[in-house]
Amino acid sequence: MAAVATPDDAVPGPDALTARELYRFFRAGEEETLALRGVSLRVRRGETVAVIGPSGSGKSTLLACLAGLDEPAGGDVHVGGERISHRPEALRARIRARRVGILLQSGNLIAHLDVTANIRLARRAARSTGPADAGVLLDQVGIRGRARALPQELSGGELARAGLAVALANDPDVLLADEPTGELDGATEREILRLLRGRAESGCGVLIVTHSPEAVKIADRVIALRDGRIQR
Ligand code: ADP
Ligand code: MG
């Protein structure tokens, strides 16, 4: 049967990330919070997707499920064609280390390790075999000169760049960012967004949870969450 090619079908290879019908509940005593109620989405390679929504709409819960840091009660998540949900914790951690880059607003670096050691640690977690070419990564994010600095010695902008270098240490299929520019000045924010977008253009899928109009502006697509559901 001849199928009509849609732009979706035209993209070769597996999606960077696919989530199907994710459900996640939290129970505290008598009270149950329905944090995710059937969320499905995909991020293609080369694509930058922004996820927006009011506080409490489920954005961070979604990101944790996509990264395999949390398990959805229902539904499944694939990264780079490999299922990460409903796996033993250790296996999820291994898949995450190899395929997922995570960038948070803060806390991306281990405090007592310098920038290079942080990158090496991320590479070891993924059992990455190649040379630890931290210098190339640091060049890409523009802080080669800070290779031996401890996190506490970095400015806010440098910290964000170093966090991005760690997130990219294993050349992930998908980069997941939760409010990555929430604490940055305008110029630094634009630079980090430019780097994220550039990474997508070289074949990674990028998903950014954000409140920032700047981040929404650079996205190819925007997904709005409300009460644990995607709004159409
Ligand atoms: P957002 O990131 O959009 O602000 P969250 O994903 O953090 O939203 O939270 C979605 C809902 O789930 C909120 O009502 C929140 O209170 C609840 N929630 C999130 N994590 C937990 C948890 N560990 N225990 C109980 N409730 C939680
Ligand atoms: Mg949140």
Side-chain angles (χ1 to χ4, degrees):
M1 197 177 81
V4 178
T6 67
D8 275 8
D9 297 331
V11 179
D15 288 336
L17 177 136
T18 316
R20 271 195 326 189
E21 286 291 302
L22 298 183
Y23 286 84
R24 181 72 169 100
F25 314 105
F26 294 106
R27 194 185 296 280
E30 292 294 287
E31 229 175 282
E32 192 172 52
T33 304
L34 311 174
L36 298 177
R37 319 183 193 207
V39 173
S40 300
L41 61 86
R42 55 200 290 218
V43 181
R44 297 174 193 86
R45 295 180 191 282
E47 190 178 40
T48 303
V49 175
V51 174
I52 60 169
S55 176
S57 57
K59 303 180 300 294
S60 293
T61 304
L62 174 63
L63 201 107
C65 287
L66 297 181
L69 291 166
D70 191 12
E71 277 279 46
D76 56 52
V77 178
H78 286 74
V79 286
E82 185 171 16
R83 179 164 52 81
I84 191 170
S85 57
H86 311 294
R87 301 271 202 192
E89 170 83 48
L91 182 52
R92 289 209 310 270
R94 210 170 326 137
I95 297 171
R96 179 169 59 248
R98 269 191 289 116
R99 296 190 177 276
V100 183
I102 300 174
L103 183 62
L104 306 174
Q105 192 172 94
S106 60
N108 294 296
L109 304 183
I110 309 276
H112 68 274
L113 297 178
D114 70 24
V115 172
T116 300
N118 266 280
I119 292 171
R120 292 212 171 118
L121 182 67
R123 291 180 61 89
R124 262 205 308 281
R127 310 210 168 123
S128 205
T129 46
D133 45 5
V136 175
L137 265 172
L138 292 177
D139 259 345
Q140 287 170 1
V141 300
I143 50 164
R144 178 134 204 178
R146 307 300 272 142
R148 287 298 167 190
L150 287 168
Q152 73 207 33
E153 297 165 337
L154 300 176
S155 70
E158 288 171 340
L159 262 181
R161 290 164 194 267
L164 182 56
V166 169
L168 296 175
N170 297 304
D171 197 13
D173 294 88
V174 67
L175 183 68
L176 303 174
D178 197 351
E179 297 278 356
T181 62
E183 290 169 355
L184 301 176
D185 64 81
T188 309
E189 169 174 40
R190 282 191 292 281
E191 175 60 13
I192 294 294
L193 290 171
R194 191 185 67 75
L195 290 167
L196 287 172
R197 211 187 139 84
R199 197 57 182 204
E201 279 161 6
S202 63
C204 183
V206 174
L207 183 143
I208 311 172
V209 167
T210 189
H211 286 292
S212 155
E214 291 289 329
V216 168
K217 226 188 293 173
I218 63 120
D220 299 305
R221 207 146 55 78
V222 178
I223 292 175
L225 269 190
R226 186 168 201 106
D227 294 333
R229 289 196 186 91
I230 292 179
Q231 293 197 294
R232 298 283 160 200

